[in-house]
Amino acid sequence: MTTEAEETALRYRRAQSVTRAEEITEQEKRVRNLQYDKPCHKPRDSLFSWSSNFTNFTGLVNWGFLLLSIGGFRLFLENLLKYGLRVNPIEWVIVLTGYSEELGQNRQYPAVVLLIFCVVPTVLTLLIEKGIAVGILSQSIGITLQLSNIIFVITLPVIVLYFKGNDFSFVGTTTVCFVYLILFLKLWSYSQTNHWCRNAFKGKSSKNKLRRQSLSAPNWNALNNAEHEQTVEEEKSDAAVAAGFVKYPDNLTLKDLFYFMLAPTLCYELNFPRTARIRKRFLIKRLLEVIVGTHLVLGLLQQWMIPSLTSSIHTFSQMDAMKMTERLLKLAVPNHLIWLCFFYLCFHSFLNLLGELLHFADRNFYGDWWNANNIAIFWSSWNLPVHRWAVRHVYKPITERGHSRFVASLVVFCISALFHEYLVSVPLQMFRIWAFLGMMVQPPLAIISRFAEKTWGPRWGNIIVWSSLILGQPLAIMMYFHDYALVHFAVQQD
């Protein structure tokens, strides 16, 4: 064992050696500068080395973008020469309305009818909440009715498509399922939030009754505390009224409910943050982006995505690994381009357009998911409305009941997986589990990406995130399209 004096001497030698090394470096630099050979070299790292701390790669980013643009334009020309011009805006209106040419002269638009029917369960939710608030319905009966109404919303498209599936187009059914899923999430949030407010309202009322009963046998300390609490509550209530805040049950109106139904959020609040005015220039920009973006996405689907999928059926039927990989990589480019366009169109252009029209002030619809260093960060930042809903209405209620965070996270991923499967299997009218399995793979993939981030650095974690996005989505799409084609169409040769 070393004595205290030896440890002190050791630390002194270490400190002295560092100072001596610095002195030698500076002395060598001065001596080198005095040499007659005019030295031009000094200790430094290559720019591509991590130790160089060089970060300005703007030129390489521009080069990559230009190269991708040239490659994309070449693919566009190849597609145009092979398949011709397939973009037909008239068909967009047909498929969006759900019109089926098989019906002939008896034109029906079932998708439009179902979208209009959304008003019925929405108003029914308000009537049930009002019935509970005024005492017509008991708490248990009201909750049972709300759950039945919410389950009816999510199952209605399944039932209708089972009996009338041939009357719908694929885009029409997809739109219906997407809207009804949003309605399901919104009604869940509306009912649960009003349940929280109702319990808090009843709790305050019961406290006031207990205070009045205690006056017959006063406990002066408890009475003073009760009076203080009542004063604080009254001050909060007066401040809320002065600020124009709505209190439960005054929020149970059609105007408030339909504002929430149209607002770009899935989480209900009695008092949303509001903007003072509508920015006309900002509104016009978002409106133009929605119009141009919608045409761009639909055009890419018609011209690029559908032909690529159709030509891949025969390859997947043969189960040739090399050809399947080639088709997967070929489909990855248009699929990823459409996904990026859809992200910007939906989460930036459309939601900001709604927010501006409705004076909705919270415009934080997405985070910087493109910089995510692992899968978990990506899923918590790319779709913030759904993430907030999952945290507020699923994750926190589960953890507050004493369950672990792992259990709560697993439940959230299971619900998300079911939602993804719902949006694919119901419109296709065939039950497969590829989307469900794709979502359930995300937790172990998050562990792998986090391991890569900690072991090899954040850049490798980000590469895994981008790889899962670029390759995972087209793989699932090709599997669904292959199964759908085997059921409905004859296998086509490339």
Side-chain angles (χ1 to χ4, degrees):
M1 297 179 62
T2 59
T3 63
E4 183 177 355
E6 291 176 347
E7 291 180 355
T8 304
L10 180 60
R11 287 197 298 268
Y12 176 75
R13 286 198 301 272
R14 287 175 180 171
Q16 192 177 32
S17 65
V18 172
T19 305
R20 181 60 181 166
E22 293 175 353
E23 290 178 354
I24 292 174
T25 302
E26 291 296 327
Q27 182 179 0
E28 180 182 353
K29 182 179 179 181
R30 288 195 298 268
V31 172
R32 284 177 58 81
N33 291 334
L34 295 175
Q35 298 299 307
Y36 295 108
D37 58 350
K38 299 180 180 180
C40 60
H41 298 288
K42 61 181 179 180
R44 47 194 169 187
D45 294 316
S46 299
L47 295 184
F48 285 147
S49 301
W50 291 104
S51 55
S52 68
N53 296 324
F54 182 78
T55 58
N56 187 8
F57 295 99
T58 305
L60 290 178
V61 173
N62 294 335
W63 165 79
F65 181 78
L66 182 61
L67 191 63
L68 286 174
S69 300
I70 294 173
F73 185 70
R74 187 202 67 81
L75 290 174
F76 170 75
L77 290 178
E78 179 186 2
N79 179 274
L80 196 63
L81 292 173
K82 186 175 183 179
Y83 302 107
L85 185 63
R86 302 173 63 96
V87 177
N88 185 1
I90 298 177
E91 292 183 359
W92 302 347
V93 180
I94 294 175
V95 296
L96 287 174
T97 55
Y99 166 68
S100 178
E101 295 180 354
E102 297 178 358
L103 297 176
Q105 295 181 354
N106 299 324
R107 295 188 177 184
Q108 299 179 6
Y109 302 94
V112 177
V113 174
L114 273 181
L115 293 178
I116 296 174
F117 186 77
C118 286
V119 178
V120 176
T122 302
V123 175
L124 184 59
T125 299
L126 177 62
L127 293 177
I128 295 172
E129 286 297 332
K130 273 187 167 293
I132 301 174
V134 299
I136 298 177
L137 298 174
S138 65
Q139 181 96 331
S140 58
I141 295 176
I143 293 175
T144 303
L145 291 175
Q146 288 289 32
L147 288 175
S148 302
N149 185 45
I150 293 173
I151 294 173
F152 169 76
V153 167
I154 202 66
T155 56
L156 179 61
V158 181
I159 298 173
V160 173
L161 288 174
Y162 180 79
F163 292 101
K164 295 288 185 179
N166 295 330
D167 297 344
F168 287 81
S169 67
F170 174 72
V171 179
T173 55
T174 303
T175 305
V176 168
C177 291
F178 187 74
V179 171
Y180 269 77
L181 179 57
I182 293 176
L183 181 64
F184 169 82
L185 299 177
K186 281 178 176 281
L187 293 183
W188 182 331
S189 178
Y190 184 80
S191 302
Q192 192 170 18
T193 304
N194 280 298
H195 176 71
W196 295 335
C197 295
R198 184 165 54 249
N199 290 341
F201 182 76
K202 289 183 179 179
K204 292 179 182 179
S205 300
S206 61
K207 286 182 180 179
N208 291 334
K209 291 180 181 179
L210 291 174
R211 288 169 190 154
R212 287 194 293 270
Q213 292 173 358
S214 65
L215 293 177
S216 59
N219 183 340
W220 296 111
N221 292 329
L223 183 61
N224 291 332
N225 292 333
E227 290 178 351
H228 176 70
E229 291 179 3
Q230 186 174 5
T231 302
V232 172
E233 292 294 335
E234 290 176 354
E235 289 178 354
K236 290 182 179 179
S237 178
D238 294 339
V241 173
F245 281 15
V246 178
K247 298 173 59 180
Y248 181 86
D250 298 335
N251 63 302
L252 301 178
T253 62
L254 278 175
K255 180 181 178 181
D256 179 83
L257 177 57
F258 278 103
Y259 177 86
F260 170 57
M261 290 295 113
L262 296 175
T265 180
L266 299 175
C267 295
Y268 175 71
E269 294 179 9
L270 275 67
N271 300 278
F272 289 107
R274 306 290 291 271
T275 57
R277 63 183 183 89
I278 295 177
R279 297 168 291 177
K280 295 181 180 179
R281 184 175 298 179
F282 181 86
L283 184 67
I284 293 173
K285 287 181 180 179
R286 301 290 83 79
L287 180 61
L288 291 176
E289 287 176 356
V290 169
I291 295 173
V292 175
T294 303
H295 285 74
L296 178 61
V297 170
L298 292 174
L300 287 173
L301 282 171
Q302 272 187 324
Q303 184 66 41
W304 202 347
M305 193 74 172
I306 295 176
S308 298
L309 282 170
T310 305
S311 63
S312 302
I313 300 174
H314 181 64
T315 302
F316 264 67
S317 300
Q318 293 179 335
M319 299 302 292
D320 189 325
M322 292 291 292
K323 292 183 178 180
M324 289 171 59
T325 304
E326 185 271 334
R327 290 296 175 177
L328 177 63
L329 296 176
K330 182 178 180 180
L331 186 63
V333 176
N335 171 79
H336 193 64
L337 181 60
I338 292 172
W339 184 80
L340 289 175
C341 292
F342 176 79
F343 164 77
Y344 187 87
L345 172 65
C346 179
F347 289 95
H348 185 75
S349 302
F350 182 69
L351 293 184
N352 268 296
L353 177 65
L354 281 181
E356 197 68 23
L357 287 172
L358 297 173
H359 295 271
F360 191 82
D362 186 2
R363 309 293 177 83
N364 187 21
F365 304 123
Y366 54 89
D368 59 335
W369 55 265
W370 48 89
N371 292 326
N373 296 328
N374 58 69
I375 299 295
I377 295 177
F378 167 79
W379 284 112
S380 63
S381 58
W382 98 274
N383 188 345
L384 290 184
V386 172
H387 175 70
R388 291 194 188 99
W389 183 92
V391 171
R392 187 186 190 215
H393 295 286
V394 180
Y395 184 87
K396 286 185 177 180
I398 292 177
T399 54
E400 288 173 356
R401 289 178 176 270
H403 298 284
S404 64
R405 294 182 178 181
F406 174 77
V407 173
S409 300
L410 189 61
V411 172
V412 168
F413 268 104
C414 286
I415 294 176
S416 179
L418 291 173
F419 289 163
H420 281 77
E421 190 63 51
Y422 177 85
L423 290 175
V424 180
S425 291
V426 176
L428 290 176
Q429 301 180 52
M430 63 176 192
F431 179 73
R432 298 293 187 273
I433 60 172
W434 307 127
F436 181 86
L437 292 178
M439 284 300 302
M440 295 310 297
V441 168
Q442 300 304 308
L445 190 59
I447 297 175
I448 295 174
S449 61
R450 192 178 295 113
F451 173 79
E453 177 189 3
K454 293 181 179 179
T455 306
W456 301 302
R459 178 173 295 182
W460 283 100
N462 184 255
I463 289 175
I464 293 178
V465 172
W466 277 111
S467 299
S468 66
L469 294 175
I470 295 174
L471 299 177
Q473 293 175 0
L475 178 61
I477 291 173
M478 292 183 75
M479 295 170 76
Y480 275 107
F481 191 81
H482 173 261
D483 294 346
Y484 183 82
L486 290 180
V487 175
H488 294 84
F489 307 107
V491 176
Q492 300 179 7
Q493 297 292 332
D494 186 7

